[in-house]
Amino acid sequence: MDNDSQRFDVLVIGAGPAGMAAAVRAAECGARVGVVDDNAAFGGQIWRGSQNDHGPEAERWRKRIDGVSIAKLFGQRIFHQPEPGVLLAEGADNLHELRYRTLIIATGARERFLPFPGWILPNVMGAGGLQAMVKSGLPIRGKRVVVAGTGPLLLAVAAYLRKHGAEIPIICEQASWSKLAQFGIALLSNPEKIGQGLRLKRDLAGVPFAVNSWPVAAHGANALEAVTVSRGGESKKIACDYLACGFHLVPNVELPLLLGCKLANGYVAVDDFQQTTEPNVFCAGEPTGIGGVESSLIEGEIAGLAAAGRGDDARALFGRRRRTRSFAHRMDRAFRLRKELASLAAAETIVCRCEDVVYSRLQAHDSWRSAKLHTRCGMGPCQGRICGPATEFIFGWKPDSVRPPIFPARIADLANAGKGPE
């Protein structure tokens, strides 16, 4: 097993839109830049797969990436900080000790899952997760896919799946028409978003779209066969091959918390230059607030410039960021989860999939810590990334600590942590 050490002026964690923009702007300033990501290429989840699927903006940033010198550490995952200014990244057969002067965290977000009877059946999966699998080669042509949850991601996923041959019998959105109307009015000041909405409407012509609707149960013997949805207070059972389900996004804040960065309302707290409460640690994109690609890109640019010491250039972008943040706030209000979703689970519904902890066992506890100590909820391989946000919504619990390793790691790499290169 190889163990090497590398030094960077600016180290970027995450190669999605925010990380790409941060790395490009820092490298254009002459900084020695490294990018770490557990995927095999730039793009993150949103720009994953064929470049033809993502439009001119993605292509523009890929060309800018190709025009600068950046050390690419793909297939690597940060799991530990042995000392300030040093992070450990684990790959398939190597361990990297990464030293940095300035760090930019652009770790993105993941889908929020809420438990309901049958949600652990095969072929019940995240909306973005199913899209990623199709991008990686999963055949979807001719399959019936119910898309359910909340947020603009549902429409984008449904359009993508339909384009690749899936049949979409219904899209279930938990928000109300009044909330969506308020969000639609907010789009009037953003022509680009209006254009995106019109394209999605065209791509999804003829697909039923149900508001005040959500899945209440998934059915099947060995895999998903049908899903029961609540639609306007009435239950309807729909035969399907897949349920693509996602209840908005959850920021990936485990690394910032490990480094001591403070949160505000569940997101990493940053100043005008995207700097966190920790010196020389910046954060950009979804960990600072769920705002979409445009917001992630502009925050990444500001962080990259500020990390490279170009504060005046970064300040010139503040106005653009204000506009994207305004859109993000409106989106958050429009798609806020309704309280009925907190009571979908039955007594024997598994909430923690890693440790098979059911809902009735968790009801006896009053905190995340108590539940972990007595049921092992959140102590499996995902380390609470799935059940943590679910129990936070259902019970109001807050995780009380993040400890290394923040991802499962090889025992040999844990033993070598902080020893330096061999």
Side-chain angles (χ1 to χ4, degrees):
M1 182 182 300
D2 295 328
N3 179 6
D4 65 41
S5 180
Q6 299 184 52
R7 295 177 180 272
F8 301 98
D9 298 324
V10 178
L11 179 63
V12 181
I13 311 302
M20 292 171 70
V24 165
R25 296 310 299 261
E28 288 174 345
C29 295
R32 174 171 167 73
V33 178
V35 177
V36 184
D37 198 285
D38 57 359
N39 290 301
F42 285 104
Q45 297 302 319
I46 193 70
W47 285 344
R48 186 187 189 101
S50 171
Q51 296 184 23
N52 297 328
D53 291 330
H54 307 309
E57 186 72 354
E59 180 63 18
R60 184 171 74 87
W61 281 100
R62 291 182 192 277
K63 287 181 178 179
R64 290 183 71 172
I65 285 283
D66 293 338
V68 292
S69 177
I70 296 173
K72 305 172 184 68
L73 295 148
F74 292 133
Q76 310 288 330
R77 179 178 281 178
I78 300 293
F79 69 93
H80 185 36
Q81 181 198 39
E83 60 183 271
V86 180
L87 292 174
L88 297 182
E90 184 181 81
D93 56 4
N94 54 14
L95 174 66
H96 290 285
E97 181 184 80
L98 306 176
R99 296 181 176 272
Y100 60 87
R101 178 178 58 80
T102 304
L103 182 71
I104 301 176
I105 300 171
T107 45
R110 60 187 184 272
E111 292 177 277
R112 177 190 278 113
F113 301 95
L114 296 180
F116 52 85
W119 77 294
I120 64 172
L121 277 172
N123 295 343
V124 177
M125 58 184 65
L130 179 58
Q131 183 183 39
M133 291 181 69
V134 173
K135 288 180 179 180
S136 298
L138 177 72
I140 201 69
R141 184 167 299 278
K143 303 295 185 181
R144 286 173 58 86
V145 184
V146 171
V147 180
T150 199
L153 177 64
L154 296 185
L155 301 180
V157 169
Y160 180 88
L161 297 177
R162 194 186 200 199
K163 178 182 176 182
H164 287 76
E167 178 186 347
I168 312 295
I170 192 170
I171 300 171
C172 298
E173 167 60 62
Q174 62 91 38
S176 66
W177 273 126
S178 63
K179 291 285 188 182
L180 296 180
Q182 293 172 18
F183 184 61
I185 292 172
L187 294 182
L188 294 178
S189 61
N190 193 322
E192 183 179 347
K193 298 295 183 185
I194 293 175
Q196 292 173 1
L198 292 174
R199 286 191 294 273
L200 286 173
K201 182 178 180 180
R202 179 198 63 205
D203 294 342
L204 293 169
V207 175
F209 180 77
V211 299
N212 297 311
S213 182
W214 55 86
V216 295
H219 315 280
N222 299 311
L224 179 69
E225 298 172 4
V227 58
T228 297
V229 301
S230 173
R231 183 176 183 180
E234 298 183 359
S235 295
K236 181 178 181 180
K237 192 172 183 179
I238 303 170
C240 59
D241 301 294
Y242 290 93
L243 170 58
C245 192
F247 293 93
H248 212 20
L249 299 174
V250 179
N252 292 320
V253 296
E254 290 78 14
L255 179 58
L257 286 174
L258 180 69
L259 301 182
C261 303
K262 292 183 179 179
L263 303 187
N265 299 316
Y267 298 104
V268 178
V270 294
D271 65 12
D272 288 344
F273 293 94
Q274 301 295 136
Q275 180 161 309
T276 71
T277 54
E278 289 295 303
N280 302 318
V281 178
F282 294 76
C283 190
E286 310 290 41
T288 69
I290 306 300
V293 172
E294 185 181 0
S295 180
S296 292
L297 286 170
I298 192 65
E299 287 191 7
E301 289 193 72
I302 291 171
L305 289 167
R310 300 290 183 87
D312 289 342
D313 293 337
R315 188 177 286 108
L317 301 176
F318 287 1
R320 285 172 53 196
R321 184 182 56 192
R322 275 194 300 272
R323 290 190 291 274
T324 64
R325 283 184 172 175
S326 176
F327 170 79
H329 293 153
R330 292 190 179 105
M331 183 170 65
D332 183 64
R333 287 195 298 270
F335 298 104
R336 195 160 294 163
L337 298 183
R338 57 172 67 218
K339 62 177 188 249
E340 293 97 321
L341 300 176
S343 57
L344 294 179
E348 295 308 310
T349 299
I350 288 177
V351 176
C352 177
R353 301 174 66 152
C354 297
E355 298 292 331
D356 290 338
V357 182
V358 299
Y359 178 73
S360 59
R361 291 185 63 196
L362 297 175
Q363 287 180 296
H365 301 282
D366 60 3
S367 70
W368 175 247
R369 179 177 177 81
S370 174
K372 286 181 71 174
L373 289 173
H374 293 92
T375 71
R376 290 191 54 82
C377 180
M379 298 182 71
C382 90
Q383 296 179 258
R385 285 174 171 81
I386 303 298
C387 60
T391 56
E392 182 175 358
F393 175 68
I394 295 170
F395 300 111
W397 296 345
K398 299 285 187 182
D400 49 15
S401 67
V402 171
R403 299 177 182 178
I406 56 173
F407 286 104
R410 291 184 292 263
I411 293 176
D413 288 341
L414 291 173
N416 288 328
K419 290 184 178 180
E422 293 179 352

